[in-house]
Amino acid sequence: MTDVTAAAKHSFTINLSILFTELPLLERPAAAAAAGFTAAELWWPFGEDHTPSQAELDELRKAFTDAGVQLTGINFVDDLTKGARGTVSLPAERERFRENIPVTVGLAESLGTKAVNALYGNRVAGVDPAVQDELALENLALAARAAHAVGAVLLVEALNGAESPDYPLVSAEAAVAVVDKVNAATGLGNAKFLCDLYHLARNGEDLAAVIDAYADRFGHVQIADVPARNEPGTGGLDFEDLFARLSAAGYTGRIGLEYKPSNGVSADSFGWLPRELRAAK
């Protein structure tokens, strides 16, 4: 069971692309509100092969505003359900990503969303990794500039190699190195590391060491227990210690609940976090 004292020092946001998926997308913000949450985040919600219409964007905005839930983060175009892991480094997706930048950033601006996440993209067979890395830096710099124009940060995330074997950023060090390159290219300083403790733990990283080394680069933190990616208290991570370490390191940003409910029912998975701590501070 997670320690309430440690959790009370943090503000939480719920990922509605992995929680409440038993409901249609437009019903999830209201479900989050009914569970006591006032902040939520999303992966790209429209599918990789679909450009949303103005009506679809307006419907999504209305779902959040009607529920009184703040959209705190959103991914650029992707479809994680099909094994995609971002588009920024993929030569074949160069135009799709660039066309999506104003769509995602515009949605973020209209809802006061202050974080946009650009997954790096898988390695492509037959393409020189250096070519992919050069393209990624160009695209991430474009995204960072667009995000900066609306007061948002650009997030760069490490994933775990077991679930994403072709994804090149499988350590905190690798992701932070990309963050530093983007900031050097733009001079804006708004590229940040999305520290997903689940992915890093699956990669065998020392989470305490990661927090100590890179907390000043964190733009967001996400959590799930290991190994099954379920709610805290169902696996091997000591969240009492992790929350306390984040506080001690000076991390004051939100913590995203990006886990699968262990019994398949999202509303049953929040017992570890008392209701009075679910509303964002």
Side-chain angles (χ1 to χ4, degrees), residues 42-58:
L42 289 171
W43 300 336
W44 176 247
F46 298 108
E48 185 179 13
D49 300 322
H50 175 65
T51 299
S53 66
Q54 188 61 51
E56 288 173 307
L57 292 169
D58 290 342

PDB file of all heavy atoms in Angstrom, residues 42-58:
ATOM      1  N   LEU A  42      -3.517  12.368 -22.325  1.00  0.00           N
ATOM      2  CA  LEU A  42      -3.876  11.461 -23.410  1.00  0.00           C
ATOM      3  C   LEU A  42      -2.666  11.130 -24.269  1.00  0.00           C
ATOM      4  O   LEU A  42      -1.789  11.972 -24.468  1.00  0.00           O
ATOM      5  CB  LEU A  42      -4.925  12.098 -24.332  1.00  0.00           C
ATOM      6  CG  LEU A  42      -6.354  12.290 -23.826  1.00  0.00           C
ATOM      7  CD1 LEU A  42      -7.122  13.135 -24.829  1.00  0.00           C
ATOM      8  CD2 LEU A  42      -7.043  10.944 -23.614  1.00  0.00           C
ATOM      9  N   TRP A  43      -2.635   9.901 -24.799  1.00  0.00           N
ATOM     10  CA  TRP A  43      -1.843   9.636 -25.980  1.00  0.00           C
ATOM     11  C   TRP A  43      -2.576  10.317 -27.147  1.00  0.00           C
ATOM     12  O   TRP A  43      -3.660  10.871 -26.975  1.00  0.00           O
ATOM     13  CB  TRP A  43      -1.729   8.135 -26.221  1.00  0.00           C
ATOM     14  CG  TRP A  43      -1.079   7.378 -25.098  1.00  0.00           C
ATOM     15  CD1 TRP A  43      -0.205   7.862 -24.160  1.00  0.00           C
ATOM     16  CD2 TRP A  43      -1.263   5.983 -24.783  1.00  0.00           C
ATOM     17  NE1 TRP A  43       0.182   6.870 -23.298  1.00  0.00           N
ATOM     18  CE2 TRP A  43      -0.446   5.711 -23.646  1.00  0.00           C
ATOM     19  CE3 TRP A  43      -2.010   4.954 -25.340  1.00  0.00           C
ATOM     20  CZ2 TRP A  43      -0.374   4.433 -23.074  1.00  0.00           C
ATOM     21  CZ3 TRP A  43      -1.950   3.686 -24.771  1.00  0.00           C
ATOM     22  CH2 TRP A  43      -1.135   3.436 -23.656  1.00  0.00           C
ATOM     23  N   TRP A  44      -1.992  10.265 -28.347  1.00  0.00           N
ATOM     24  CA  TRP A  44      -2.703  10.818 -29.500  1.00  0.00           C
ATOM     25  C   TRP A  44      -4.022  10.052 -29.655  1.00  0.00           C
ATOM     26  O   TRP A  44      -4.019   8.834 -29.836  1.00  0.00           O
ATOM     27  CB  TRP A  44      -1.852  10.706 -30.759  1.00  0.00           C
ATOM     28  CG  TRP A  44      -2.537  11.154 -32.009  1.00  0.00           C
ATOM     29  CD1 TRP A  44      -2.900  10.376 -33.068  1.00  0.00           C
ATOM     30  CD2 TRP A  44      -2.949  12.488 -32.334  1.00  0.00           C
ATOM     31  NE1 TRP A  44      -3.502  11.143 -34.033  1.00  0.00           N
ATOM     32  CE2 TRP A  44      -3.548  12.439 -33.602  1.00  0.00           C
ATOM     33  CE3 TRP A  44      -2.873  13.720 -31.667  1.00  0.00           C
ATOM     34  CZ2 TRP A  44      -4.072  13.570 -34.234  1.00  0.00           C
ATOM     35  CZ3 TRP A  44      -3.387  14.847 -32.284  1.00  0.00           C
ATOM     36  CH2 TRP A  44      -3.976  14.769 -33.556  1.00  0.00           C
ATOM     37  N   PRO A  45      -5.173  10.725 -29.579  1.00  0.00           N
ATOM     38  CA  PRO A  45      -6.438   9.998 -29.460  1.00  0.00           C
ATOM     39  C   PRO A  45      -7.180   9.702 -30.752  1.00  0.00           C
ATOM     40  O   PRO A  45      -8.249   9.099 -30.711  1.00  0.00           O
ATOM     41  CB  PRO A  45      -7.285  10.963 -28.599  1.00  0.00           C
ATOM     42  CG  PRO A  45      -6.799  12.318 -28.997  1.00  0.00           C
ATOM     43  CD  PRO A  45      -5.332  12.161 -29.297  1.00  0.00           C
ATOM     44  N   PHE A  46      -6.627  10.083 -31.906  1.00  0.00           N
ATOM     45  CA  PHE A  46      -7.404  10.008 -33.135  1.00  0.00           C
ATOM     46  C   PHE A  46      -6.926   8.946 -34.124  1.00  0.00           C
ATOM     47  O   PHE A  46      -7.510   8.808 -35.195  1.00  0.00           O
ATOM     48  CB  PHE A  46      -7.402  11.373 -33.824  1.00  0.00           C
ATOM     49  CG  PHE A  46      -8.028  12.463 -33.008  1.00  0.00           C
ATOM     50  CD1 PHE A  46      -7.245  13.450 -32.439  1.00  0.00           C
ATOM     51  CD2 PHE A  46      -9.388  12.484 -32.794  1.00  0.00           C
ATOM     52  CE1 PHE A  46      -7.817  14.462 -31.683  1.00  0.00           C
ATOM     53  CE2 PHE A  46      -9.977  13.494 -32.033  1.00  0.00           C
ATOM     54  CZ  PHE A  46      -9.183  14.480 -31.473  1.00  0.00           C
ATOM     55  N   GLY A  47      -5.878   8.214 -33.806  1.00  0.00           N
ATOM     56  CA  GLY A  47      -5.369   7.217 -34.744  1.00  0.00           C
ATOM     57  C   GLY A  47      -4.348   7.814 -35.682  1.00  0.00           C
ATOM     58  O   GLY A  47      -4.468   8.966 -36.114  1.00  0.00           O
ATOM     59  N   GLU A  48      -3.329   7.024 -36.013  1.00  0.00           N
ATOM     60  CA  GLU A  48      -2.214   7.529 -36.817  1.00  0.00           C
ATOM     61  C   GLU A  48      -2.644   7.907 -38.226  1.00  0.00           C
ATOM     62  O   GLU A  48      -2.079   8.819 -38.836  1.00  0.00           O
ATOM     63  CB  GLU A  48      -1.110   6.468 -36.885  1.00  0.00           C
ATOM     64  CG  GLU A  48       0.151   6.940 -37.589  1.00  0.00           C
ATOM     65  CD  GLU A  48       1.240   5.866 -37.628  1.00  0.00           C
ATOM     66  OE1 GLU A  48       0.928   4.701 -37.334  1.00  0.00           O
ATOM     67  OE2 GLU A  48       2.383   6.208 -37.949  1.00  0.00           O
ATOM     68  N   ASP A  49      -3.639   7.210 -38.762  1.00  0.00           N
ATOM     69  CA  ASP A  49      -4.015   7.402 -40.158  1.00  0.00           C
ATOM     70  C   ASP A  49      -5.206   8.333 -40.334  1.00  0.00           C
ATOM     71  O   ASP A  49      -5.847   8.359 -41.379  1.00  0.00           O
ATOM     72  CB  ASP A  49      -4.344   6.039 -40.792  1.00  0.00           C
ATOM     73  CG  ASP A  49      -3.154   5.096 -40.749  1.00  0.00           C
ATOM     74  OD1 ASP A  49      -2.024   5.577 -40.937  1.00  0.00           O
ATOM     75  OD2 ASP A  49      -3.353   3.897 -40.510  1.00  0.00           O
ATOM     76  N   HIS A  50      -5.495   9.116 -39.283  1.00  0.00           N
ATOM     77  CA  HIS A  50      -6.685   9.963 -39.346  1.00  0.00           C
ATOM     78  C   HIS A  50      -6.358  11.372 -38.869  1.00  0.00           C
ATOM     79  O   HIS A  50      -5.819  11.551 -37.782  1.00  0.00           O
ATOM     80  CB  HIS A  50      -7.792   9.370 -38.471  1.00  0.00           C
ATOM     81  CG  HIS A  50      -9.021  10.220 -38.381  1.00  0.00           C
ATOM     82  ND1 HIS A  50      -9.820  10.481 -39.462  1.00  0.00           N
ATOM     83  CD2 HIS A  50      -9.576  10.884 -37.333  1.00  0.00           C
ATOM     84  CE1 HIS A  50     -10.821  11.261 -39.087  1.00  0.00           C
ATOM     85  NE2 HIS A  50     -10.693  11.524 -37.809  1.00  0.00           N
ATOM     86  N   THR A  51      -6.663  12.341 -39.700  1.00  0.00           N
ATOM     87  CA  THR A  51      -6.533  13.740 -39.288  1.00  0.00           C
ATOM     88  C   THR A  51      -7.885  14.193 -38.755  1.00  0.00           C
ATOM     89  O   THR A  51      -8.885  14.141 -39.479  1.00  0.00           O
ATOM     90  CB  THR A  51      -6.122  14.629 -40.472  1.00  0.00           C
ATOM     91  OG1 THR A  51      -4.845  14.181 -40.959  1.00  0.00           O
ATOM     92  CG2 THR A  51      -6.008  16.074 -40.038  1.00  0.00           C
ATOM     93  N   PRO A  52      -7.943  14.603 -37.489  1.00  0.00           N
ATOM     94  CA  PRO A  52      -9.248  14.936 -36.913  1.00  0.00           C
ATOM     95  C   PRO A  52      -9.862  16.174 -37.560  1.00  0.00           C
ATOM     96  O   PRO A  52      -9.171  17.127 -37.911  1.00  0.00           O
ATOM     97  CB  PRO A  52      -8.920  15.186 -35.439  1.00  0.00           C
ATOM     98  CG  PRO A  52      -7.481  15.587 -35.431  1.00  0.00           C
ATOM     99  CD  PRO A  52      -6.849  14.780 -36.516  1.00  0.00           C
ATOM    100  N   SER A  53     -11.171  16.130 -37.701  1.00  0.00           N
ATOM    101  CA  SER A  53     -11.903  17.289 -38.206  1.00  0.00           C
ATOM    102  C   SER A  53     -12.042  18.326 -37.096  1.00  0.00           C
ATOM    103  O   SER A  53     -11.825  18.033 -35.913  1.00  0.00           O
ATOM    104  CB  SER A  53     -13.290  16.862 -38.680  1.00  0.00           C
ATOM    105  OG  SER A  53     -14.064  16.412 -37.566  1.00  0.00           O
ATOM    106  N   GLN A  54     -12.433  19.517 -37.464  1.00  0.00           N
ATOM    107  CA  GLN A  54     -12.680  20.546 -36.463  1.00  0.00           C
ATOM    108  C   GLN A  54     -13.763  20.103 -35.493  1.00  0.00           C
ATOM    109  O   GLN A  54     -13.688  20.354 -34.290  1.00  0.00           O
ATOM    110  CB  GLN A  54     -13.079  21.857 -37.136  1.00  0.00           C
ATOM    111  CG  GLN A  54     -13.161  23.044 -36.188  1.00  0.00           C
ATOM    112  CD  GLN A  54     -11.831  23.343 -35.527  1.00  0.00           C
ATOM    113  OE1 GLN A  54     -10.813  23.472 -36.201  1.00  0.00           O
ATOM    114  NE2 GLN A  54     -11.825  23.438 -34.204  1.00  0.00           N
ATOM    115  N   ALA A  55     -14.769  19.406 -36.009  1.00  0.00           N
ATOM    116  CA  ALA A  55     -15.856  18.931 -35.142  1.00  0.00           C
ATOM    117  C   ALA A  55     -15.342  17.928 -34.117  1.00  0.00           C
ATOM    118  O   ALA A  55     -15.757  17.974 -32.943  1.00  0.00           O
ATOM    119  CB  ALA A  55     -16.957  18.299 -35.986  1.00  0.00           C
ATOM    120  N   GLU A  56     -14.445  17.043 -34.526  1.00  0.00           N
ATOM    121  CA  GLU A  56     -13.895  16.061 -33.580  1.00  0.00           C
ATOM    122  C   GLU A  56     -13.043  16.744 -32.513  1.00  0.00           C
ATOM    123  O   GLU A  56     -13.105  16.381 -31.329  1.00  0.00           O
ATOM    124  CB  GLU A  56     -13.056  15.034 -34.341  1.00  0.00           C
ATOM    125  CG  GLU A  56     -13.878  14.077 -35.172  1.00  0.00           C
ATOM    126  CD  GLU A  56     -13.016  13.186 -36.046  1.00  0.00           C
ATOM    127  OE1 GLU A  56     -12.176  13.727 -36.802  1.00  0.00           O
ATOM    128  OE2 GLU A  56     -13.172  11.962 -35.974  1.00  0.00           O
ATOM    129  N   LEU A  57     -12.254  17.733 -32.919  1.00  0.00           N
ATOM    130  CA  LEU A  57     -11.453  18.481 -31.945  1.00  0.00           C
ATOM    131  C   LEU A  57     -12.361  19.222 -30.966  1.00  0.00           C
ATOM    132  O   LEU A  57     -12.107  19.242 -29.756  1.00  0.00           O
ATOM    133  CB  LEU A  57     -10.533  19.463 -32.672  1.00  0.00           C
ATOM    134  CG  LEU A  57      -9.414  18.840 -33.507  1.00  0.00           C
ATOM    135  CD1 LEU A  57      -8.757  19.904 -34.385  1.00  0.00           C
ATOM    136  CD2 LEU A  57      -8.369  18.185 -32.622  1.00  0.00           C
ATOM    137  N   ASP A  58     -13.426  19.811 -31.481  1.00  0.00           N
ATOM    138  CA  ASP A  58     -14.354  20.542 -30.615  1.00  0.00           C
ATOM    139  C   ASP A  58     -15.049  19.603 -29.641  1.00  0.00           C
ATOM    140  O   ASP A  58     -15.279  19.954 -28.472  1.00  0.00           O
ATOM    141  CB  ASP A  58     -15.386  21.284 -31.458  1.00  0.00           C
ATOM    142  CG  ASP A  58     -14.796  22.466 -32.224  1.00  0.00           C
ATOM    143  OD1 ASP A  58     -13.692  22.913 -31.854  1.00  0.00           O
ATOM    144  OD2 ASP A  58     -15.438  22.922 -33.194  1.00  0.00           O
TER     145      ASP A  58
END
